[in-house]
Structure formats: C-alpha cells, structure tokens
Amino acid sequence: MDLLSIKDPSFVKNMNVHEMEQLSAEIRKFLIEKLSVTGGHIGPNLGVVELTIALHHCFKSPKDKFLFDVGHQSYVHKILTGRADKFDTLRQYKGLCGFPKMIESEHDVWETGHSSTSLSAAMGMAIARDLKKSDAHIVPVIGDGALTGGMALEALNHIGHEKTNMIVILNDNEMSIAPNVGAMHNMLGRMRTGGKYNKLKDDLELLLKRIPAVGGKVASTAERMKDSLKYMFVPGMFFEEFGFTYLGPIDGHSYDDLIKSLEQAKRTEGPVLVHVITKKGKGYEPAETDTVGSWHGTGPYKMDTGDMIKAKNEPPAWSAVVSETVREIARTDERVVAITPAMPVGSKLLGFASEFPERMFDVGIAEQHAATVAAGLATQGMKPFLAIYSTFLQRAYDQVVHDICRPNLNVFIGIDRSGLVGADGETHQGVFDIAFLRHLPNMVLMMPKDENEGRHMVNTAIQYDEGPIAMRFPRGNGLGVEVDPELGVIPIGSWDVLKEGTDAAVLTFGTTIPMALEAAAELEQQGVSVKVINARFIKPLDEQMLDQLFALELPLLTIEEAVLEGGFGSAVLEYAHSSGQHGVVIDRMGIPDQFIEHGSVTKLLEEIHLTKEEAVRKLRALVPEKQEERA
C-alpha cells in the first residue's frame, strides 16, 4: 500500500495476517530507504514492526494509550498514525521528531527521550482512567534494557500492589543501545528459553487438583507444592510475584502469536505482562547481525552495503579522546576504574574494557546507581571515572549531591554530549549541567578548548585529590589539533588568555571559543580591540583574572553553550556583586529559558542567536565610544 496516504491507524484493524505481513515488508523497506539518508534509530524500529502493527490491530489508538519506552522505537507507530510523508525531515530542523511528541499527533500520549519512565506514566494514566470510569486500555511498551532502570521496578511494584488494569508489553530484544548486562538480563534470558508459561501453569494446576484434599494439612501441602513447582519450572514468576499475570514468552514477529496473546491480555483482569521476543534490526542484515549496538542509531549509510557515510580523515571523536586518555593513565595507575550506565559504545569505552575488563563496569540503565558506585569506589582509594551523557547525569543529581559532593569524594565525572547535540532534540540537549553542578559545594567543573587541553584536563582530574571534579565535552569530533606527547596538570581555577585586547573582553570556553575569536578578529578590523579568554574552569572561577579585568574597567561578554539561568555568566555576575563591583558592565550570551528542539547544531545556534554576528553586535554595544570615534 501507499504508506504516504495513511491518515490514521484504523485500517489496520480490518487486515488479515497475510495483509499485515505485506505491510510489515513495506514498512521495513521504507525505513531502510529513508533512514539511509537521514540517519536515525533503525535497529530498534526494524525490530518492532510486527509488534506495532499488532498493537494497532488489537487496540484503538488514541483512546487506548500506547507509551513507547524508550521512544526511539516509535517510528512504525508514526507511520501508522499518518506521518510517513514527513520521514524525509526526520530529526531535521523543524522536521519530524525522532521520539514521541505530543504536539505532533494525538496518538503520541507520552514523550520518552529517557528510558524507564513509561510504567510510572502509564500508572498515572490508569489511575485517571479509573477515576473517570473509562474503559480505555493503557499499554506501555518497555524494552528489556529499560526494565533495568530502578524507576521501572518501582512502578512494577506499585502497579502490582494496586492490581491496576494495565497491559505491559516487555519488548525483549536482548539489547538496549549496547548488549544488556546484569541479573535482570540473565533472568530474561532464562525465561526466553523456558518455554511457554501458561501451558506449564495449566498443567501444574491440573496435576495439583488431582491430589485429594482430605484435610487442611494436605491442602496446605498441595499449595506449597504448587508454589515450589512453579518456581522450579515456570518462567515469569518474577513478574507473578509483583502481581502481574505473565503471558509468554511469545514470538514478536508472529502475528498469530501476537494477536492471540494481546487479545488474551485484554480479557484478563488486573495487570498483565506480555513478554515479546523480537530481533533488533530484523529484516536488514547489517543491523540484524550487529552485536555491539552500532546499528542502534546511525547517521546516513549506504543502503546496499550498510557502510556508514562519514567524512574522510575526521579528527577523533571527543568521547574517544577522553576515554583513551583515561585508558592511557590506567596503564600506570591501578586505581583508575571506569563506570558507565549502559553506554560503553557511545562513551567509546570498549577499548578500556578490552584492556582492563576487571576495571570496567557497565551497570545498565541505572544512572543513580552508577554515581553511587563511583562514590563507593572513591571511599576505598580508587579513582573512578564516571562516563555519562549530560542529559543522563540529570537523573543522578541527588546522588551527585548527597553521595559524591557532600562527603567530598574523588570522583571524576566525564560529562559527554555537553552543549547542543542536534538531532536527538530537547530530551538530549546537554545544556543544564553547568546550572545544576555549579552551585554544589566541593565541585570543580571545567571544559577544554580542544583535544590537547582535554587530555591534560583528564590527567588533571585523575591526579586531583581534593574532591569531585567534572569535565564537560561536546558531542562529535575534536578540532584535529596536535597533542602533546606528555600529559600535564592544569592549575585548578586558572584561565588562559587567547588574544589580548584593550576595549572589551570575552569570557568563554569549549565549543564557543572559535566563534569568540572570529568575532574579535572582525571587530579588530573595525578598530575595536577585544581580549578573548579561555575560561576553562567554570568553577572555581579565576578570581585573580576577574579582579584584573574589573580594575581595567573592561566591559565583559560571557558566552556559553548552556542555559543562561544559573550558568557561567551568572557566576561572573555573582562574583562581581560579591566583590563590590557594582559598576562593572557585563552582558551574557547562552541558551535562553526554553527547551531546544531537534535540528543541526548550526541551525539551532542561529535560531537562538548564539552566533558570531550576535557576539559582534553585543560587543559593539559594550563599547559605544568606539563607534563614535569611527563616526
């Protein structure tokens, strides 16, 4: 059929199995073609084609609520709800979002950029449904990786305790972004090979009913025997003990099995968990045979071969620069250990894991746990490197406050994807970490201007023995600068003057340094002399240099690729106030008080006026007498 003509998913309800199989093939072909141009989360979506079609066949969206966890597996749902014609704009500026988006469609009822939230949200929706006396089905679809998140387990406990009517789909593809780890993964593995649950349960019930109940003692023994037999032979008891009826495991690519199980779930009172086994990347060999998570999300690729389309001779990725420097130091410092919450691929830690398997810990999608594990290691004299994306560090805020900063422990936090990340959009933009870390006692926060400085900062962080220290670094590749053969230590709180100037000064760091230098060069040609300072330590500030700038009465412009509220510019203003410098002129550039949607970083920077042109305009305004002289 013509996927571009789909307006709503109602047509799926009238399809037979053969027609749905044809639709599956067409959707897979469509996704492989479209994502080869735009990039996107191809592996997860190829794995849920049949499951998503079956859901729309058995339920009625948007009355029935589908919550996808994590939302990167919602592309098929978007196609079936009338958005196929927008896939050329997927994850592009002002285009189709790569995650569920409530303003996009009434069929997107929950936004999930981070994992493990769907069950809690579904519980809220179910409570509201029951209070309103509605008969809608609430259907969260959660991956086996997301199920390792503590929030998901908290929700399972609540849902089971309340005996809430809900149908939870456990989409078990044995992987999240990288191969899953931990006891939950191992338990699901045993369940996958444990056979069909309900047949075994029914057989056991029949067997036990044949035992003559000739008194309370015998009946009690029979019940104990029944429980023991269940634990011995029946998969799914983990979920049964939470209060769920467990259905499965079933083949997530068989419409007969899916429809039969979903219809049974609809007839069952109380919470039901349908355990669906799917194959990530199903139908596209490069993605289907991926064992490390490379096809979880990609950029553009060659459709016929699966080869990624990348620029030649790119500088190393920032993640690789940082992780490989940690690895280099670990060769001579046995205290160094690495921790990641399910991101060994994205954080480029596979090399470290290969060389130091006993010192590499992937704790699963459990950011809070990762932070406190790092704190525990630090209490024992180890040097933990916590590799975590900025957007995911938000989830461990309490642990950073209570378990790391409060006891002043030597934890090195590598904050990956700091600043704008582009295509993943507002749920992933790493723009809040300065604001939520800068005010914490004992915290040191820094960001390098290039790979060479970044390597020295990594060494600085590992050699630092006075408490927690964090280094921000952006998504993408470095600048390609030459690096020093020997690692040094940068004095904590020291800034670096990159360009001298006498009329004004720019204080900035990281990704915005090139823009500041370009603005200063343009103004130099117009007779305005601008000092550019690499304010590489966001906390502590270089108070000595600030005092010098205040003494010179230079107007200051701060620039940061982070939120202005509570950010670096705020820190400079606070220091000026506490120093009694009430007449100093300070202006700020940064991320405004809004969530930034998806698109290329260049486009997004233009939209929020975080550009060279805006820097030039602001600096001209700071030195009006120079304009008068030119006139």
Side-chain angles (χ1 to χ4, degrees), residues 552-618:
L552 293 171
E553 298 184 347
L554 285 183
L556 306 179
L557 174 65
T558 67
I559 305 177
E560 57 197 299
E561 197 176 305
V563 293
L564 284 169
E565 280 70 12
F568 168 72
S570 294
V572 174
L573 286 169
E574 290 162 12
Y575 181 71
H577 175 78
S578 65
S579 301
Q581 298 289 339
H582 305 303
V584 66
V585 178
I586 301 174
D587 200 355
R588 300 178 301 151
M589 290 175 60
I591 308 290
D593 188 20
Q594 66 187 68
F595 289 103
I596 307 299
E597 296 196 357
H598 56 279
S600 73
V601 172
T602 300
K603 282 283 189 183
L604 297 176
L605 292 173
E606 290 174 0
E607 182 180 80
I608 60 176
H609 306 295
L610 194 53
T611 61
K612 178 197 75 172
E613 289 73 22
E614 181 67 6
V616 168
R617 188 188 71 77
K618 283 183 173 289

Side-chain angles (χ1 to χ4, degrees), residues 457-535:
M457 276 191 179
V458 169
N459 189 52
T460 300
I462 292 175
Q463 304 309 321
Y464 184 67
D465 287 322
E466 298 180 30
I469 185 166
M471 186 181 101
R472 313 175 78 235
F473 52 97
R475 182 179 185 176
N477 301 92
L479 303 179
V481 302
E482 186 176 345
V483 299
D484 297 330
E486 299 294 328
L487 292 171
V489 172
I490 302 172
I492 299 297
S494 64
W495 292 352
D496 182 32
V497 177
L498 302 178
K499 178 189 176 298
E500 291 290 355
T502 56
D503 296 323
V506 175
L507 309 178
T508 190
F509 49 87
T511 53
T512 49
I513 283 177
M515 176 238 291
L517 289 170
E518 290 172 11
E522 182 173 317
L523 286 166
E524 196 77 35
Q525 295 178 350
Q526 301 172 19
V528 180
S529 177
V530 177
K531 181 190 291 278
V532 178
I533 296 170
N534 174 18

Side-chain angles (χ1 to χ4, degrees), residues 66-77:
F66 300 152
L67 297 84
F68 292 92
D69 190 346
V70 180
H72 53 232
Q73 59 190 10
S74 62
Y75 293 6
V76 184
H77 169 74

Side-chain angles (χ1 to χ4, degrees), residues 284-304:
Y284 185 50
E285 185 177 2
E288 195 169 332
T289 56
D290 175 30
T291 59
V292 298
S294 300
W295 280 89
H296 170 79
T298 74
Y301 55 88
K302 295 180 180 178
M303 194 169 60
D304 53 344

Side-chain angles (χ1 to χ4, degrees), residues 3 6-9 11 27 30-31 45 48 52 56 66 68 71-87 90-91 95-105 107-108 110-111 598:
L3 300 182
I6 295 174
K7 301 301 180 186
D8 65 71
F11 72 98
I27 287 177
F30 177 86
L31 287 174
N45 286 283
V48 298
T52 309
H56 280 288
F66 300 152
F68 292 92
H72 53 232
Q73 59 190 10
S74 62
Y75 293 6
V76 184
H77 169 74
K78 288 179 181 260
I79 292 170
L80 296 177
T81 53
R83 286 170 275 178
D85 61 338
K86 297 181 176 64
F87 264 75
L90 179 69
R91 292 160 39 100
L96 190 67
C97 183
F99 296 91
K101 189 79 171 169
M102 286 186 273
I103 62 171
E104 269 187 14
S105 171
H107 299 278
D108 290 3
W110 181 245
E111 298 186 2
H598 56 279

